[in-house]
Amino acid sequence: MQQKEQIIRTEYSEVMQKSYIDYAMSVIIARALPDVRDGLKPVQRRTLYDMHELGIRYDKPYRKCARIVGDTMGKYHPHGDSSIYEALVVLAQEFKKGLPLVDGHGNFGSIEGDGAAAMRYTEARLQKITQEAYLADLDKDVVDFVPNFDETEKEPSVLPVKVPNLLINGAEGIAVGMATSIPPHNFSEVIEGVKAYMKNPAITAREMMKYIKGPDFPTGGIVVNQDDLLNIYETGMGKIKIRGKVEIEEAKGGRQRLVITEIPYTMVGANIGKFLMDVGSLVENKKTGDIVDISNQSSKEGIRIVLDLKKGADVQNLCNMLYKKTRLEDTFGVNMLAVAEGRPETMGIVPIIRHHVNFQYELATRKYQTLLAKELDKKEIQEGLMQACDVIDLIIEILRGAKNIKDAKDCLMNGNTEKIKFRYKGSVADAKQLHFTERQATAILEMRLYKLIGLEIEALRKEHEVTLSNIVKYEEILGSRSAMAKVIVKELTRFQKEYGTPRKTQIENVSEAVYEEKKIEEMPVVLLMDRFGYVKTIDLAAYERNKEAADGENKYVIHCMNTDKLCIFTDRGQLHTVKILELPYGKFRDKGTPLDNVSNYNSSEETMIYLNCMANLYGKRLLFVNSQGMMKVVDGDEFDVSKRTTAATKLNENEKVLAVFMLTESEKETVVLQTDKNMFLRFLTADVPKKKKGAIGVRGMKINSGDQLKAVYLLEDEERIIEENNRQIMLHGLRIACRDGKGVKK
């Protein structure tokens, strides 16, 4: 019988809201944010657990990353192999993790942004610390196991991590509507902080900072705003300013060189290349003339970026300029957001440690409860075996007289002798006194004869003494929080001694970098641009010496100051600006550089309509004419903008700027509009109204259907003749009419 279709009527917005919230929470909890207890995101947790399950221990051979990724994806993380491999790579990168958890073999990328090799080429295994402090005790029921995505496997909901990984390795992640950014810290300092909290749970963030001085980035560097750290550690939010470490070395000829040996953590990756480009730009744009050469001599031994300086360079001022103008000083935004008790929460340093310590007590409680239960089971069996050794002859008689195991077990547990045939009558009374437990009876029945050797019996008694000692120890740990704290601290101290490393990042209070920008000597220059779009500037004297050649060979020759900026008006209505100082300055015969290379102007997508310097536009008026005959006059001052690209005029769809002219103050100045069908209209420029640059303008000429504006000419008193269809047309001979007319046919 076919089931009827059921239609549920509901409000669309409510469905969207609920679905989006469900999606957002799924991303937050199950993908992007770490758990405060183990400091791991789900993909990291699953990858490490899978490596543990595959037996890829620190003392075993490496295994292909493709094997690890495939197994993790198939069993626990069905979100694509790239996310798993990226997580695996980051866990192995020493320059990103303060404590790498994976031992990578092969190309796992570089600090300069080179990516790792494909997973089929690289190999990995767990680090020793990962095995001992992150994955130990999984067999002791210390954490809950939950079904995987298809309920065919079980995975831990959290790893039994014994060190505060969230602080040691930090975390970065972008969820929906929130993001986390936690800096890494020094392993030994964090352990000391945990010990301090366990002694005094009421410890404040200020007191905690006696142990945890601040972040400790794997790339070193210098934190320069120490005073801001207290507020960051109290609130879980703020900004850390990091500088690279710069050393001064003496070079040949009395020169000096700046050597960058440590970089800000935020510069890891492609930003090293960007830093080199930024320094090159400072030199090209004449912001500094002190740098002669720059080279990146970094290797596996560490970072070494060398800036060779000219003799007599102001080293301190140059360092300050690099801090201000490049990423040699950068900001690390802190937002210590993690999943705590099933929900995202921004926490200070003390709450993070509190959650970690509570988790350690929970792990220790479950661990020693499991161990105690096992020891109690062993005690029960050991006592049964020792009692059995004392009456071994009777037990052998029972076994020989029993028809099956069930009868023998019943006799051992309950003293039931009805189904047992005894060889001696006196044994019946002794057998009735037997009251072994079920576990003891099973152990007796499974006991091998060699266990009756005297030495084996003695070993059993010694083992029993060890078991009793363990029971006392475990009961003491479980019965006293202080005893459990001692066990936790003892293990932390062992990790600290074995895996602790010296601090790499310096924590200081440094005043803000201030540098004096050298004043540019203002001087007149001449801008030259040839018909191929190559542009350069030369000094006025060089122009005067080569005036005839310069005027003849170049499309634009513009007199300006070197502190001015060039304005480029295009047919798309855009205005591109570029500082004159950014243009190459040199000799008259130098080739120059394409205008596209030094500005946002793109000659392949737009056409240059008008070119001039900003200083020449002040106090002047510009006439704009577009392809549909719309016109306006705009004050040149309006184009003094800070943006490198902005809209110079407003255009409708399919319109283009046809002409831009600088107007004079002459009352006789006229403009001539020409269409494709040779309709001409001449009128005074005074008839064109002044508008803002964002306006469309007014109609200059009524254009018939199927026709469009072809050319625009600006006339004063001079004669102007153009040639059209092998005929000469005298533009100055056209009658001056009114704007917005149809014009005359020529």
Side-chain angles (χ1 to χ4, degrees), residues 177-191:
M178 58 184 69
T180 184
S181 180
I182 304 173
H185 293 77
N186 183 267
F187 187 90
S188 296
E189 290 183 6
V190 173
I191 298 297

Side-chain angles (χ1 to χ4, degrees), residues 359-534:
F359 182 52
Q360 295 313 300
Y361 280 119
E362 181 188 338
L363 291 178
T365 301
R366 293 181 64 164
K367 174 184 176 179
Y368 288 108
Q369 282 176 345
T370 302
L371 291 175
L372 178 61
K374 287 182 179 178
E375 293 297 321
L376 289 172
D377 289 347
K378 283 168 65 178
K379 172 177 174 284
E380 181 183 344
I381 292 169
Q382 288 164 355
E383 289 175 347
L385 291 176
M386 286 190 295
Q387 290 174 23
C389 289
D390 293 338
V391 290
I392 192 65
D393 295 333
L394 176 61
I395 290 172
I396 291 172
E397 190 175 349
I398 291 170
L399 294 176
R400 292 181 68 180
K403 291 182 179 180
N404 52 51
I405 293 177
K406 183 180 178 182
D407 294 343
K409 197 171 185 179
D410 189 27
C411 182
L412 292 173
M413 291 174 61
N414 305 311
N416 188 354
T417 59
E418 293 178 1
K419 298 180 180 180
I420 308 294
K421 289 183 180 181
F422 290 93
R423 297 179 66 182
Y424 306 104
K425 290 183 180 180
S427 300
V428 177
D430 293 337
K432 287 183 178 180
Q433 301 300 316
L434 297 176
H435 290 289
F436 290 104
T437 65
E438 185 176 358
R439 279 201 187 94
Q440 290 172 338
T442 302
I444 291 167
L445 292 171
E446 293 175 351
M447 184 176 66
R448 297 185 179 184
L449 288 175
Y450 78 87
K451 290 287 185 181
L452 300 175
I453 299 171
L455 290 175
E456 289 293 327
I457 294 172
E458 186 63 29
L460 178 62
R461 286 177 179 153
K462 287 183 179 178
E463 188 181 337
H464 182 58
E465 289 175 5
V466 173
T467 301
L468 292 176
S469 174
N470 285 340
I471 290 171
V472 171
K473 183 173 73 172
Y474 297 156
E475 285 178 342
E476 183 184 349
I477 292 171
L478 289 168
S480 167
R481 192 173 176 89
S482 61
M484 188 177 288
K486 287 180 182 177
V487 173
I488 295 171
V489 169
K490 184 179 179 182
E491 196 165 35
L492 286 174
T493 304
R494 182 174 70 82
F495 292 142
Q496 185 180 5
K497 286 180 180 178
E498 189 169 353
Y499 302 108
T501 55
R503 166 174 280 281
K504 295 178 181 177
T505 301
Q506 296 178 30
I507 309 291
E508 299 176 4
N509 269 322
V510 180
S511 57
E512 188 173 350
V514 177
Y515 83 99
E516 294 181 7
E517 194 166 352
K518 291 185 178 178
K519 292 183 178 180
I520 299 164
E521 185 181 348
E522 193 173 29
M523 57 181 282
V525 294
V526 179
L527 182 144
L528 305 176
M529 191 178 87
D530 63 20
R531 57 193 179 90
F532 300 108
Y534 281 77

Side-chain angles (χ1 to χ4, degrees), residues 2-10:
Q2 191 173 1
Q3 197 172 11
K4 286 187 177 180
E5 189 180 66
Q6 187 178 7
I7 298 174
I8 301 173
R9 294 188 177 276
T10 183

